Each structure stands twice: as C-alpha cells, then as structure tokens.
Amino acid sequence: MSEILQKVASKTLQKPQALLTGDWALFLDIDGTLLEHAEHPDAVSVSAELRALLQDLDHKLNGALAFITGRSVAAVDQLFQPLKLRAAGLYGLEHRLLPGDDVEIADEPADIAALADEIEAELGRGAYIERKGRVLAIHTRAAPHLLPRATQLVEQALAVLPKGYRVVAGNAGVELLPLEAAKGAAIRRFMDIAPFTGRRPVFLGDDTSDENGFETVNDAGGISIRVKPPEYTTAQYGLAGVAETLAWLRGQL
C-alpha cells in the first residue's frame, strides 16, 4: 500500500453506477462490507437473502466472484454454509481458486503464538485476540480504550519478530501480518486464471487493509468502491454502508 493515500473527502465520492455488461469480475470483502461489524467476529450471521444474492451474482458472472477477506477460508465457509465460493482468506495467505478445491491452511508460527499469549495476558478479556495462522488480530470494539495499548504492543513486536511483518490499523482493532498478506496480490492471483482473466475487476471493501486492493484494481482499469469512505482513500467510489452496498449489488442482477 502506498504511504500517502489519495486525499478525497468522503462527500465527494460518488455512488458507483450500475455495471451494464457482464464482462467484469467481482471481489468482495466481508466484514463491514457485506455484514455489519460486531463486537466479536463470531457474533455475525448471514441471512438466506444474502446467500441467495451471492449465488445469483456468482451465476451471472460465470464464477468470476471471490471473497477477499481477513477471515480464514474455513471461517468463511462456516459463516456462509452451505455456500462455498472462491475465496482468498487471511489477506491472501489462503486461497480456494476453484469450487471444491482443498485449501492449504496457514499454520501459526511459534513466535506469533507466544506474542498472542503475551498480549492476551496483558489486555485481558476486554480485547478479543484472534489467532489466524501467521496473522494476529486484536479486536477492541468492545473496549475502545485498549486500542492504543494493543497498537503499541504489536508495533513493539516488530523489533523482535523475524523481518517481513507489518502492522495494519483497522476500524476497531489492529492486526499484525506478513508483508505478502495483501489483498491486491490476492486479486492479481485470481485475475490470472479463468473465469477472471480478461474481465474488468471490481472490488468492494471498507477498511485500511482494503486500500491495497483498491490500488491494484485502479491500476488494472477496474472499479474500486469503499464502504463508509473516510477522508483518505484510493477508492474511486463510495457507498454509505452495508445496506446501500447490498442494494447496489442487487441492482447488478
């Protein structure tokens, strides 16, 4: 992700128009984009209407639809069951490139496990420590006062961990993840294979970690859409929230 994001006031980001042709590929973040954020990642649920909408979009696009998410692919499958779509989990550390494919699970290194134990012991139950293989997420939505300390702890960890990690601030938490865990790289991987190849990429996301994906889609001549856009974003368009996002997606059918 570039260090300086394009400065665009959220009120100047226009709502994207309907996509009139079918030669596009759709990439979707989940939390904050398709589902409202909750205090705990497991506290969300998927409606039958959302499953049907995604299935219809996948059918219209002949399979050129994929989740690009910080959740693991296993967590995505559990959330959307019985629906199993193409997905990049853990910011691209895990992939299911074809329906029915096995997913190589990203194991948790010992040093990340030890760090998670230390942070959990210090922050207590106010924060939720989510262990996602090589990705460590600290959720502070239920205890916002813990976010500065959580951020400090993971930033300090960079000095003792092997090189190749970075810290990414989120809407209500902070994550430590490998440099190669990037949504833009996950999108490029899908765009190199059928049925995505030759299509125009469209990516919807709502968080700092999605900016890398917006940049990738912009460079490819695609359409980038940020949900609840802040003042600084590289996205070309904005949608006011989850409800407007789902309405926009329904309008593509």
Side-chain angles (χ1 to χ4, degrees):
M1 189 191 317
S2 64
E3 293 296 326
I4 301 176
L5 300 180
Q6 175 186 357
K7 184 176 182 180
V8 182
S10 59
K11 65 180 181 181
T12 67
L13 282 184
Q14 296 181 349
K15 179 179 176 180
Q17 299 298 310
L19 304 169
L20 300 178
T21 64
D23 59 345
W24 44 283
L26 183 61
F27 300 101
L28 297 169
D29 174 48
I30 296 174
D31 295 281
T33 301
L34 299 178
L35 301 172
E36 297 287 0
H37 284 291
E39 289 188 358
H40 192 290
D42 294 339
V44 299
S45 62
V46 175
S47 66
E49 290 79 10
L50 177 54
R51 288 190 186 90
L53 171 61
L54 293 169
Q55 195 163 32
D56 289 346
L57 286 167
D58 185 65
H59 178 73
K60 177 179 179 178
L61 296 173
N62 296 314
L65 182 153
F67 291 125
I68 309 292
T69 176
R71 290 179 180 263
S72 67
V73 175
V76 172
D77 287 346
Q78 183 176 8
L79 188 60
F80 287 89
Q81 63 180 325
L83 187 63
K84 286 190 176 182
L85 300 175
R86 292 169 174 83
L90 304 182
Y91 305 100
L93 295 180
E94 296 181 348
H95 287 83
R96 179 169 56 233
L97 300 176
L98 295 171
D101 272 7
D102 292 333
V103 179
E104 185 175 345
I105 304 302
D107 294 327
E108 182 182 54
D111 49 8
I112 297 298
L115 175 63
D117 289 341
E118 293 173 8
I119 294 176
E120 193 166 32
E122 173 164 343
L123 298 184
R125 296 183 178 180
Y128 169 57
I129 313 302
E130 188 178 11
R131 301 165 183 251
K132 302 187 287 186
R134 295 173 65 197
V135 176
L136 178 62
I138 305 172
H139 301 274
T140 59
R141 192 173 297 275
H145 66 283
L146 293 177
L147 180 56
R149 180 57 177 159
T151 303
Q152 184 182 40
L153 288 171
V154 292
E155 288 179 343
Q156 289 174 347
L158 291 177
V160 296
L161 289 171
K163 291 183 178 180
Y165 283 91
R166 75 184 192 278
V167 174
V168 176
N171 283 323
V174 62
E175 292 189 272
L176 180 74
L177 60 162
L179 293 176
E180 65 267 28
K183 291 192 174 184
I187 290 172
R188 285 193 295 271
R189 184 169 182 182
F190 277 110
M191 292 301 296
D192 284 340
I193 62 172
F196 298 89
T197 303
R199 292 172 176 258
R200 188 181 185 191
V202 180
F203 177 46
L204 285 78
D206 79 307
D207 212 341
T208 305
S209 60
D210 297 309
E211 291 291 339
N212 175 266
F214 298 148
E215 291 180 347
T216 296
V217 166
N218 293 345
D219 289 344
I223 298 172
S224 55
I225 306 167
R226 183 150 178 176
V227 181
K228 296 182 182 178
E231 184 177 0
Y232 297 92
T233 181
T234 55
Q236 302 162 345
Y237 299 96
L239 290 165
V242 170
E244 187 169 89
T245 298
L246 298 181
W248 185 82
L249 287 171
R250 285 191 292 269
Q252 311 313 310
L253 294 174

